Amino acid sequence: MSLLLSNPRARSGLHITWLLAGMIILFGSVTFAVVGTAMGAVAGSTPAWAIVAGVASLGTGIGFLYAGGRGIYRASQLSTGELVVPRLPLRLGEPLEVHFSQRRSSRANVAEITAVLELQEWVRYSMGQNAHATDTHLVWSQELEAARPDDPIGDDSRLRGSWRGRIPADQRPSFQVVNNALQWVVRVTAETTKGRNVETAFVVPVLPEVIPGLEVRGATQRELR
């Protein structure tokens, strides 16, 4: 058995960025309002464009603050997730059964929990001499089948789920170089009773090796008896 852990910092990193952006925009809005008021006092009236720009920047800052704060709050309801897999690394064509566990607070009322197996490709492009751009896209995806439908969520203190599937033999294995990477990911989604989703992702390494007894023909695969 092998244990994988999610990274709660990475899960809420984007929300922290939104929160900081909102604070910076609000600070700029206040500064702009003070300067505009001073200029209006000298000129006798505040220009209409200054009022519109101030209201727009204020609304944008509040929106970023709300989105960032809400995301951090939702992430705080669930702790670091744990995923137990039979063995690591896996091989192409290998059956997969995973067991997920995550401590939750009493505020995290989860209505449903699902898991998806994904193959993602990450590419970094050069844009000029010192600039780069990255792109991540989905290569392959399949929802995993619940292995324990009689206990789909768990108890009050821990969120639990078990699923089974198979690494397809006709897809590519894990791969990583400086500017390109292929990653197999198990993505667990917990949907709360308020319709908000909290996702936890686990990277599962897959070797460039097909399990014995499995024949691959084009886009199909079958077990040899």
Side-chain angles (χ1 to χ4, degrees):
M1 291 291 181
S2 299
L3 176 65
L4 298 174
L5 300 178
S6 66
N7 188 346
R9 292 183 180 179
R11 188 173 68 238
S12 59
L14 179 61
H15 303 131
I16 295 175
T17 302
W18 290 350
L19 194 65
L20 292 176
M23 295 173 64
I24 293 173
I25 294 173
L26 283 180
F27 177 78
S29 299
V30 172
T31 304
F32 185 82
V34 172
V35 174
T37 301
M39 292 177 61
V42 173
S45 64
T46 304
W49 64 266
I51 297 177
V52 173
V55 173
S57 60
L58 181 64
T60 302
I62 293 175
F64 272 98
L65 279 176
Y66 174 76
R70 186 183 67 171
I72 293 174
Y73 170 75
R74 287 166 53 188
S76 67
Q77 293 181 342
L78 297 171
S79 65
T80 302
E82 300 176 355
L83 190 75
V84 177
V85 296
R87 59 184 295 273
L88 287 177
L90 298 171
R91 296 168 295 175
L92 296 171
E94 185 167 359
L96 174 68
E97 183 166 331
V98 297
H99 305 279
F100 172 77
S101 177
Q102 190 172 35
R103 185 179 59 81
R104 59 178 174 175
S105 69
S106 59
R107 298 168 295 177
N109 297 318
V110 177
E112 184 181 14
I113 178 172
T114 58
V116 176
L117 178 64
E118 299 177 347
L119 176 59
Q120 302 175 354
E121 183 172 17
W122 173 85
V123 182
R124 184 171 67 172
Y125 305 95
S126 297
M127 300 179 62
Q129 189 172 8
N130 298 317
H132 297 86
T134 61
D135 177 47
T136 302
H137 65 274
L138 188 63
V139 178
W140 182 90
S141 176
Q142 185 176 70
E143 185 172 348
L144 296 176
E145 177 187 359
R148 296 179 181 176
D150 57 326
D151 184 23
I153 294 180
D155 54 28
D156 293 335
S157 61
R158 298 196 70 84
L159 189 66
R160 290 187 176 89
S162 298
W163 301 272
R164 64 169 64 96
R166 181 186 291 269
I167 304 294
D170 52 1
Q171 291 293 337
R172 291 173 287 178
S174 301
F175 170 80
Q176 183 170 359
V177 291
V178 175
N179 294 320
N180 186 218
L182 286 168
Q183 288 186 332
W184 286 94
V185 176
V186 174
R187 185 177 303 278
V188 179
T189 301
E191 181 178 342
T192 67
T193 53
K194 296 182 179 181
R196 299 170 181 173
N197 294 341
V198 178
E199 293 187 344
T200 310
F202 303 87
V203 177
V204 181
V206 176
L207 295 173
E209 174 186 346
V210 180
I211 62 171
L214 194 68
E215 180 183 18
V216 180
R217 293 180 178 177
T220 63
Q221 60 187 43
R222 65 185 181 89
E223 295 186 9
L224 300 179
R225 300 293 183 181

